[in-house]
Amino acid sequence: MKVALLGYGTVGSGVVEVINANQDSINKKAGTPIEIKYVLDLREFPGNPINEIIVHDFKQIAEDPEIEIVAEAMGGVEPAYAFAKTSLESGKSYVTSNKELVALHGAELLEIARKNNVNFLFEASVGGGIPIIRPLNQCLTADEICEITGILNGTTNFILTKMKDEGRDFEDVLKEAQALGYAEKNPAADVEGYDACRKIAILASLALGEHVNFEEVPTEGITKITAEDMVYAEKMGYVIKLLATCKKQDDAVFARVSPMLISKSHPLAMVNDVFNAIFVNGNVIGDVMFYGRGAGKLPTASAVVADIVDAAKHKGTNIISFWSRKKIELKDQGDVKVRYFVRVKDNAEVVSKVQENFKQLEVVEALEGEFAFITEVCSESTFAEKMEIIDYANVLSKIRIDK
Ligand code: NDP
Ligand code: HSE
């Protein structure tokens, strides 16, 4: 089975490494020898044996009838979308780690794959090496999924862990995450939460069978989290994690990505460094958790290669996925119930406004010059109105609290 690999960066080079390392067992599991015939990249790789099969024009791959599987690890929506459509329409299965592509065009590409009796597979697009797409598609189909909550971004979890455990500076840890190949080309995608947002939209779409538009998922990253927030979290028995959530609440579905204070006893509190974990609640199975390395060359490549093997095994058969193009209306963020931890400047006027507005607040022992408290449960819109009255200029930080 001849494969073309698009992109020879962190993940793409990992794919070659994994296939070379485990060639025999991969061939056995695929039921046929897997061979990378072309690698498409913008660059040349002098001195690297891969250079012998480097090509720069996708047409060469599209027009080669020997290529049955195209595996993409380039990133970005274009030209990946055009390459995916061309591949699927010409009867080649398409495997990708590219969540931008999947979140935006997943439903359509699955439909094209179905029509052409090939496969569009994207296990590596969420949770790096963690199997989560296949379980949602296959193992949990007896359930109605009520909730998916996860740590879905390795870079930010790595940053939060190092800031907390080693007192290190945000920028310094981000540089290390980049050097380790965890971060996106533009790391704003990680630290502003956009990457986790696309991932929760993919998982929610698969779980609910209809399209969750990632652009409608309220998203906050970790750039406003400070060393002081970490000190408070520790004192209160919490840790700060960037959580991506999709939950059925009443008759609607709400989704969100934001930093959250979670109790140290919460199962996601122990997920550190580049590890990700995804908690799923189904109405029959109850709670299930998936855990593993959420980013990095080999874990991600492992998921890409597993999809190549699956595509080879299912030659001539489309694996049905439940993700239609019909869009889900998400619950209005303003109606979602929350509790917040808030730090404000310690001045009499501000504190009096806080006490007037949050009648059941829980005062927290504060750092010098600050007043800190936990709000009662209220809707996001009520909280926002009260914060307007207190005036955001007086607010040092506000972080949602789980439960
Ligand atoms: P890299 O930037 O390391 O690799 C991408 C490679 O693709 C580069 O060699 C790049 O060349 C090449 N490329 C980009 N555009 C084109 C194009 N139009 N034609 C040919 N080659 C192209 O990225 P990663 O390997 O880290 O990530 C790849 C994808 O996998 C992304 O979608 C990412 O989100 C996803 N992913 C990454 C993970 C990780 O841990 N790194 C984990 C899970 C998913 P050049 O460098 O010259 O631009
Ligand atoms: N930048 C992503 C992360 C890569 O850190 O999780 C894995 O999708």
Side-chain angles (χ1 to χ4, degrees):
M1 181 85 55
K2 302 270 197 287
V3 177
L5 174 64
L6 315 183
Y8 191 69
T10 305
V11 178
S13 61
V15 168
V16 173
E17 209 172 309
V18 170
I19 291 182
N20 287 341
N22 294 340
Q23 184 84 68
D24 290 347
S25 69
I26 286 168
N27 291 349
K28 270 189 210 136
K29 287 168 193 159
T32 180
I34 299 287
E35 185 201 325
I36 297 184
K37 183 171 178 182
Y38 304 114
V39 174
L40 177 94
D41 203 281
L42 301 170
R43 290 170 290 155
E44 291 288 322
F45 296 88
N48 182 330
I50 208 75
N51 220 31
E52 285 172 25
I53 54 168
I54 283 282
V55 294
H56 301 295
D57 186 356
F58 179 71
K59 242 173 122 186
Q60 196 173 340
I61 292 166
E63 290 174 358
D64 185 339
E66 269 198 342
I67 296 294
E68 294 187 82
I69 301 170
V70 177
E72 181 252 318
M74 298 184 309
V77 173
E78 286 296 354
Y81 174 54
F83 292 175
K85 265 180 102 168
T86 306
S87 302
L88 296 169
E89 281 164 354
S90 56
K92 302 178 197 304
S93 285
Y94 197 85
V95 167
T96 184
S97 59
N98 180 343
K99 44 272 158 126
E100 274 185 88
L101 172 72
V102 179
L104 194 58
H105 296 295
E108 183 197 357
L109 293 170
L110 282 167
E111 203 175 285
I112 299 174
R114 195 155 48 244
K115 281 189 189 139
N116 289 279
N117 213 25
V118 288
N119 285 294
F120 176 62
L121 301 173
F122 43 91
E123 185 61 72
S125 66
V126 182
I130 307 174
I132 180 63
I133 303 293
R134 210 165 273 108
L136 278 179
N137 243 344
Q138 292 174 20
C139 317
L140 296 174
T141 45
D143 277 70
E144 294 280 327
I145 303 298
C146 309
E147 176 178 356
I148 303 179
T149 294
I151 294 174
L152 297 183
N153 184 270
T155 302
T156 45
N157 205 39
F158 185 77
I159 294 174
L160 290 173
T161 305
K162 300 290 178 198
M163 281 174 74
K164 171 180 163 289
D165 291 349
E166 297 168 23
R168 282 172 59 191
D169 174 65
F170 181 99
E171 289 299 334
D172 167 48
V173 190
L174 172 59
K175 280 196 189 107
E176 190 182 343
Q178 287 175 300
L180 289 165
Y182 301 157
E184 296 301 305
K185 200 165 206 166
N186 175 2
D190 298 294
V191 298
E192 298 295 356
Y194 312 140
D195 177 74
C197 166
R198 290 185 171 98
K199 290 168 172 168
I200 194 69
I202 294 170
L203 296 183
S205 299
L206 283 171
L208 302 168
E210 292 178 353
H211 185 67
V212 172
N213 181 355
F214 71 89
E215 287 168 301
E216 292 173 10
V217 176
T219 297
E220 267 174 48
I222 62 161
T223 47
K224 293 190 184 120
I225 302 294
T226 61
E228 288 77 15
D229 292 325
M230 300 269 176
V231 171
Y232 278 101
E234 177 66 30
K235 276 210 279 188
M236 294 188 291
Y238 289 108
V239 288
I240 303 172
K241 293 289 180 190
L242 183 70
L243 295 193
T245 295
C246 167
K247 221 185 261 191
K248 282 188 184 161
Q249 218 179 50
D250 309 323
D251 271 342
V253 173
F254 95 84
R256 179 180 63 218
V257 175
S258 80
M260 297 283 295
L261 282 156
I262 57 175
S263 155
K264 281 184 182 170
S265 60
H266 190 295
L268 293 174
M270 292 124 199
V271 177
N272 288 319
D273 293 310
V274 75
F275 283 84
N276 282 190
I278 304 136
F279 162 91
V280 180
N281 176 271
N283 68 340
V284 191
I285 195 169
D287 296 342
V288 242
M289 281 262 290
F290 301 85
Y291 172 82
R293 288 182 188 275
K297 178 173 166 165
L298 294 179
T300 311
S302 150
V304 174
V305 175
D307 274 352
I308 294 175
V309 169
D310 223 15
K313 274 164 62 181
H314 289 90
K315 181 179 170 177
T317 319
N318 173 255
I319 306 163
I320 296 171
S321 287
F322 308 94
W323 178 354
S324 85
R325 289 163 85 162
K326 184 169 170 245
K327 194 168 84 81
I328 290 181
E329 283 307 320
L330 293 175
K331 187 178 171 113
D332 190 314
Q333 165 81 351
D335 296 336
V336 175
K337 298 272 190 295
V338 275
R339 278 175 88 201
Y340 272 91
F341 163 69
V342 186
R343 292 164 51 212
V344 294
K345 292 177 187 165
D346 185 16
N347 95 29
E349 196 189 335
V350 175
V351 173
S352 131
K353 274 192 196 166
V354 167
Q355 283 163 337
E356 272 164 35
N357 280 282
F358 294 99
K359 294 271 187 289
Q360 295 160 47
L361 63 79
E362 199 182 302
V363 177
V364 171
E365 190 192 334
L367 296 175
E368 208 184 318
E370 300 187 5
F371 180 77
F373 62 99
I374 295 172
T375 70
E376 58 265 32
V377 175
C378 61
S379 70
E380 288 277 5
S381 54
T382 305
F383 176 77
E385 280 162 24
K386 293 181 178 187
M387 295 309 279
E388 288 287 349
I389 298 169
I390 291 161
D391 189 347
Y392 280 102
N394 296 314
V395 177
L396 302 167
S397 80
K398 57 180 181 66
I399 307 173
R400 291 176 184 85
I401 299 193
D402 182 59
K403 300 279 189 281

